[in-house]
Amino acid sequence: MTKFAARVAVIGVIFAASSSCAHQTRSSPGDVPGDATLTGTVSYRERVALPPDAIAEISLIDATIQDKAAMVIAKATVKFEGKQVPQPFTLRYDAARIEKKHLYTVRAVIRGSDELLWTTDIARAVITQGNPSDVALMLTRVDPDAGRGGRASGDASNRGELAGSSWVLEDLNGDRAIADARVTLDFGAPGKVTGNGSCNRYFATVDISGETIRFGAVGATRMACATAVSLQEIRYFEALEAANRFEIEGNSLSIYGSARRPLRFSRASP
């Protein structure tokens, strides 16, 4: 067999394999020279069956930039079609868009009947800086009562304590905050918060009503930091944007969102 014929045969095999998977995953436009793939599985720990119309949505994120529109490198949608987890996925992306010095993460959600059911609450680094291109994503079940009022947040007088207060993050959804990266949350001007996200200074709008709290999209400076610090910052910003209620007990502030465990802060010293 000539070298040309051998190459044609190999291409035919690859094309056939790609076609056989097409019913399972629909990814962002690709199929151009230089395209690459991110593979893995999505799963969860609960023994709960998925609804018939369940889908998984996987996104490849450039975590180094703050532009919400530009940070999504590629997306893929997987239809479960009656299957259960773990569910494999293949996400195609344009390799030309990958910068070796940037940090990339992958996010995933599972939806059913137009409702968010499970989501990633841990940022998984991929592709660059020695990180893998094949990952097993373990998703967290979304609290069905999230955003519906939740439980009361204690005495009504506590609800006004956020105005002008400053807090230091102690626990990020069940994980202790990195000791050398002081994460802060400052309620300064009405309707606004600022602070240190781990590596960068950040800012966002905030709406507080009773025990309900909602943060707008987080904006931040663009300093580069060590991978662990950057990943903590990503998780922290995502947790703020997913927040729906809070509790104050003495000098402790808990902010709840889609994750199973809250953000926990201690009151900053004057």
Side-chain angles (χ1 to χ4, degrees):
M1 181 182 291
T2 66
K3 290 184 178 180
F4 176 78
R7 289 175 183 173
V8 171
V10 170
I11 292 172
V13 170
I14 294 173
F15 178 79
S18 299
S19 298
S20 66
C21 297
H23 72 282
Q24 192 177 67
T25 303
R26 183 175 71 255
S27 60
S28 57
D31 300 326
V32 296
D35 269 14
T37 58
L38 174 70
T39 58
T41 58
V42 290
S43 188
Y44 52 81
R45 294 184 177 86
E46 293 83 0
R47 294 180 177 274
V48 179
L50 289 165
D53 62 346
I55 62 171
E57 299 171 349
I58 302 96
S59 301
L60 175 61
I61 307 297
D62 184 342
T64 306
I65 63 177
Q66 299 298 325
D67 185 338
K68 294 287 183 179
M71 68 190 303
V72 179
I73 302 299
K75 292 184 177 180
T77 300
V78 178
K79 294 182 178 180
F80 284 86
E81 298 179 337
K83 298 179 181 178
Q84 300 298 318
V85 295
Q87 174 66 43
F89 70 84
T90 299
L91 186 153
R92 296 183 63 84
Y93 63 91
D94 184 358
R97 296 187 63 184
I98 302 299
E99 300 285 344
K100 292 182 179 180
K101 294 183 179 180
H102 284 203
L103 177 67
Y104 296 88
T105 63
V106 60
R107 302 176 188 170
V109 299
I110 296 177
R111 301 182 188 275
S113 303
D114 297 324
E115 184 179 5
L116 180 62
L117 302 176
W118 280 271
T119 181
T120 46
D121 63 354
I122 297 177
R124 289 294 304 273
V126 293
I127 302 173
T128 58
Q129 302 183 29
N131 292 303
S133 292
D134 185 86
V135 289
L137 301 177
M138 187 62 66
L139 279 59
T140 298
R141 194 173 188 180
V142 175
D143 182 357
D145 295 323
R148 300 177 186 173
R151 53 182 173 171
S153 61
D155 189 272
S157 62
N158 284 341
R159 299 171 186 172
E161 287 189 26
L162 289 179
S165 64
S166 296
W167 306 84
V168 178
L169 183 70
E170 302 290 345
D171 187 281
L172 175 54
N173 301 141
D175 295 325
R176 294 292 296 176
I178 297 174
D180 295 334
R182 181 181 170 90
V183 180
T184 59
L185 177 61
D186 303 321
F187 294 85
K192 297 181 179 180
V193 293
T194 58
N196 179 59
S198 290
C199 176
N200 290 279
R201 293 292 300 175
Y202 72 92
F203 54 90
T205 58
V206 63
D207 181 25
I208 302 170
S209 177
E211 70 272 7
T212 300
I213 188 167
R214 301 283 186 183
F215 296 91
V218 176
T221 56
R222 299 184 180 183
M223 293 177 57
C225 290
T227 299
V229 173
S230 294
L231 286 174
Q232 174 175 271
E233 182 168 85
I234 294 165
R235 290 181 60 196
Y236 175 62
F237 290 164
E238 289 177 344
L240 286 182
E241 293 181 356
N244 55 64
R245 65 185 177 88
F246 72 96
E247 295 178 354
I248 296 178
E249 296 182 2
N251 289 321
S252 177
L253 167 66
S254 298
I255 296 180
Y256 296 83
S258 59
R260 182 176 301 172
R261 298 182 180 180
L263 296 170
R264 295 194 185 279
F265 300 82
S266 61
R267 193 181 297 273
S269 302

